[in-house]
Amino acid sequence: MLAAVLLPVAGVLAVTEDWPGAARRAVLPELLLVCGLLVLRALPLLWRRRAPWAVFGAVLATAWPGPLAVVAVPLPSHVAQLLVAGTFAETLAVYAVAAYGPGAGHTWPAPAVTTLGAAGAVTALACADGMVAGEPAGPADAVLLSFLLSVVLAPVFTAVWGAGLLVRRRRVRAMAYDDFAFAGSMWQADRAAEAERQRLAATLREAVLSHTRALVGAARRGELTEVADTARAALAAMREMLRGLADDGDGGPGGPLAPSPSAADLDALCRALRSAGREVRLRGLPEAARGLPPSTQVSVYRIVEAALGAGDPGPARVTLRRRRGTLRITVTGVRLAVAGPVAERLRVRVAAGEGRMVCEPAGTLRVSLPAGAPGAPVQEVSPSPYA
């Protein structure tokens, strides 16, 4: 947005720098009006990520006050032509629709609409005073000028739209790869931690049983001194092993390994959001989540977490239902999650779980996951130093 403001205004200043001082002072109010119209044209770009289509329409609409100003003020032709620099805002709006609009395949009308809109606005700007290049302009001149501008602008807007699609595809792939790798690492680390806990528990049991056998044998032989020594050794071994278990869980250099979230943690997530001031209701736990595979548990939690964390401030409702081997997740009140990068990220996650997702413009997200979703990806982790 800053570039869309500074570049056209800087272009206006650069062009007027060569004008005589008297000429600049004579049209100073008109120049200030032109700069204001250029800023107004770029202002909607502040919201290009959250509402790219609305911003796109606003940028196209703000191109028409220029021709109106030529007639109403009126603006001299050598000043009015500076408004053409505002076309840079249309270029950024097309890019925003391609990069952040809901569904990459639904953004193809943007370059065509922008070409027609920009060509029409520039033609109206040029013909508003009834003159084109110092000659009287008629309807045929306006049609011809509009056609020539469309031919020139169409490749430019199409190229910008394609660049937005490429950036969007790269961003979605990067986010999907990060989520996939992170989920796999956490799952594998949790399995490694569980195996280490089992190994330590087995060692503790063996040590205690060994000292207990020695204690029973000494008692049968009547060696009371050895019984006391063996009992003290058994207690010391138990304390040492319990201390080792505690250190492994809490005192390691990297801190404790947090377990992977599950569908049962959705209640805590909703409580945390409610304590932060947002009304979030949860229905369907724990019946719908009972007996789900670990990978599906993680997917359910991450899907709901991403939907509720999209940035909507209003109330939301999460409903879980399980029917005929299919888990259905419905999240309402999440307008920002059904479009843009959040929706693309959710589609990747749902597709990885062999599920389906439907985004409703009213702000409702519907996801269906099989109850037996594929297991989490396998990824190498560093071996335990105790193995």
Side-chain angles (χ1 to χ4, degrees):
M1 181 272 191
L2 188 61
V5 170
L6 292 181
L7 291 180
V9 173
V12 170
L13 297 177
V15 170
T16 57
E17 187 177 1
D18 296 333
W19 293 2
R24 282 201 304 269
R25 287 190 295 271
V27 294
L28 182 59
E30 288 80 359
L31 289 176
L32 293 178
L33 176 61
V34 167
C35 292
L37 291 174
L38 292 177
V39 173
L40 176 65
R41 201 164 176 180
L43 187 62
L45 293 173
L46 281 173
W47 296 274
R48 69 193 183 280
R49 293 176 182 266
R50 299 183 60 179
W53 278 111
V55 168
F56 176 77
V59 169
L60 292 182
T62 53
W64 292 95
L68 296 177
V70 174
V71 178
V73 174
L75 289 178
S77 59
H78 65 286
V79 176
Q81 67 183 2
L82 300 176
L83 289 170
V84 178
T87 310
F88 183 65
E90 273 92 335
T91 304
L92 296 181
V94 171
Y95 177 86
V97 167
Y100 309 111
H106 300 152
T107 62
W108 61 266
V113 173
T114 310
T115 299
L116 297 177
V122 174
T123 301
L125 187 65
C127 301
D129 58 354
M131 304 290 291
V132 174
E135 298 291 336
D141 298 321
V143 173
L144 178 61
L145 179 59
S146 179
F147 174 76
L148 293 177
L149 288 174
S150 299
V151 172
V152 173
L153 293 176
V156 176
F157 290 130
T158 303
V160 172
W161 174 71
L165 291 182
L166 291 177
V167 172
R168 176 200 194 105
R169 184 178 181 182
R170 181 178 180 183
R171 182 180 65 250
V172 171
R173 283 186 174 182
M175 290 190 301
Y177 175 80
D178 290 344
D179 284 350
F180 190 79
F182 180 76
S185 298
M186 292 301 298
W187 183 84
Q188 199 71 0
D190 187 56
R191 302 285 79 76
E194 180 64 24
E196 184 68 13
R197 286 192 292 268
Q198 294 293 336
R199 188 190 67 82
L200 290 175
T203 304
L204 171 62
R205 182 172 60 253
E206 183 62 29
V208 172
L209 290 177
S210 176
H211 286 289
T212 302
R213 285 192 296 269
L215 180 65
V216 171
R220 287 178 177 176
R221 293 191 301 269
E223 300 173 354
L224 299 182
T225 303
E226 186 176 351
V227 168
D229 294 339
T230 305
R232 282 193 292 271
L235 290 175
M238 292 178 65
R239 282 194 297 268
E240 183 65 24
M241 293 305 300
L242 289 173
R243 187 181 301 112
L245 285 172
D247 292 341
D248 179 72
D250 299 326
L257 285 174
S260 299
S262 64
D265 297 322
L266 290 177
D267 192 19
L269 175 64
C270 295
R271 284 200 305 268
L273 292 174
R274 285 195 294 268
S275 64
R278 184 182 182 188
E279 181 184 351
V280 180
R281 290 181 293 172
L282 176 63
R283 296 181 179 178
L285 278 181
E287 291 81 6
R290 184 178 294 115
L292 288 176
S295 57
T296 306
Q297 298 264 1
V298 176
S299 296
V300 171
Y301 182 88
R302 294 302 184 193
I303 290 171
V304 176
E305 180 187 38
L308 295 178
D312 296 278
R317 183 177 63 187
V318 181
T319 304
L320 302 180
R321 293 180 180 176
R322 190 171 177 180
R323 294 180 179 176
R324 299 179 180 179
T326 301
L327 179 65
R328 305 184 186 275
I329 308 169
T330 304
V331 186
T332 60
V334 287
R335 287 181 176 270
L336 299 181
V338 299
V342 177
E344 295 292 341
R345 189 174 181 179
L346 287 171
R347 285 191 180 92
V348 173
R349 179 171 289 279
V350 172
E354 297 183 356
R356 294 181 300 172
M357 185 177 77
V358 176
C359 296
E360 299 180 2
T364 300
L365 179 71
R366 303 184 188 275
V367 177
S368 299
L369 290 175
V378 178
Q379 183 168 334
E380 292 188 4
V381 297
S382 301
S384 169
Y386 303 101

